[in-house]
């Protein structure tokens, strides 16, 4: 009995295999290393000539100045008082645990009172 969806060919293990040591030699597992790496060491982003070096240093100074200005702007925005949600959050963080419990108690009392009023209106 065979599989209705399977192949009708013979199994791969039915045929004889290779003799030990007759396999082709394996290829190199890594890329070859270049024999000579030329030139002096360079820094990333550095220019090749002295004219380029002065131009790149001025662009680096400009980039640093802009980054410093952006950092100062972010610091000012963070220190400034936030909007409505920030003021609510800071007020909530200043409350003590007793104040939070009193607020929760008052909310529950108002809820109970409103449900009692609803029951009275329905004549229950």
């Amino acid at each position: 009995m065979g599989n209705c969806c399977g192949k009708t060919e013979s199994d791969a293990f039915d045929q004889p295999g290779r003799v030990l040591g007759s396999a082709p030699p394996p290829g190199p597992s890594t890329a070859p290393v270049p024999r000579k790496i030329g030139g002096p060491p360079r820094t990333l982003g550095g220019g090749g000539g002295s004219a380029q070096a002065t131009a790149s240093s001025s662009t680096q100074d400009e980039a640093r100045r802009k980054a410093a200005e952006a950092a100062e702007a972010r610091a000012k925005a963070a220190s400034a008082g936030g909007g409505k949600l920030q003021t609510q959050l800071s007020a909530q963080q200043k409350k003590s645990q007793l104040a939070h419990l009193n607020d929760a108690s008052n909310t529950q009392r108002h809820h109970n009172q409103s449900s009692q009023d609803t029951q009275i209106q329905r004549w229950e």
Side-chain angles (χ1 to χ4, degrees):
M1 255 183 134
N3 189 355
C4 65
C5 298
K7 297 180 180 180
T8 58
E9 300 174 8
S10 62
D11 192 16
F13 295 107
D14 290 342
Q15 300 174 3
R18 284 186 277 208
V19 179
L20 185 62
S22 67
S29 61
T30 60
V33 178
R35 291 197 174 116
K36 182 180 178 187
I37 300 174
R42 297 177 292 187
T43 58
L44 289 176
S50 62
Q52 289 178 345
T54 56
S56 67
S57 66
S58 65
T59 57
Q60 286 178 350
D61 292 340
E62 182 70 19
R64 284 186 184 133
R65 186 184 59 79
K66 286 182 181 179
E69 288 175 359
E72 288 176 4
R74 284 192 304 270
K76 286 181 183 178
S79 66
K84 177 183 174 185
L85 291 177
Q86 181 63 36
T87 56
Q88 288 176 351
L89 178 64
S90 60
Q92 189 177 22
Q93 288 174 343
K94 289 179 184 177
K95 283 185 182 180
S96 66
Q97 184 178 4
L98 183 61
H100 284 292
L101 291 174
N102 286 336
D103 287 345
S105 175
N106 288 336
T107 304
Q108 188 62 36
R109 284 184 193 152
H110 290 300
H111 177 71
N112 291 344
Q113 184 64 38
S114 65
S115 64
Q116 287 176 358
D117 292 344
T118 304
Q119 288 177 355
I120 291 172
Q121 289 176 354
R122 292 183 185 168
W123 295 79
E124 294 179 356

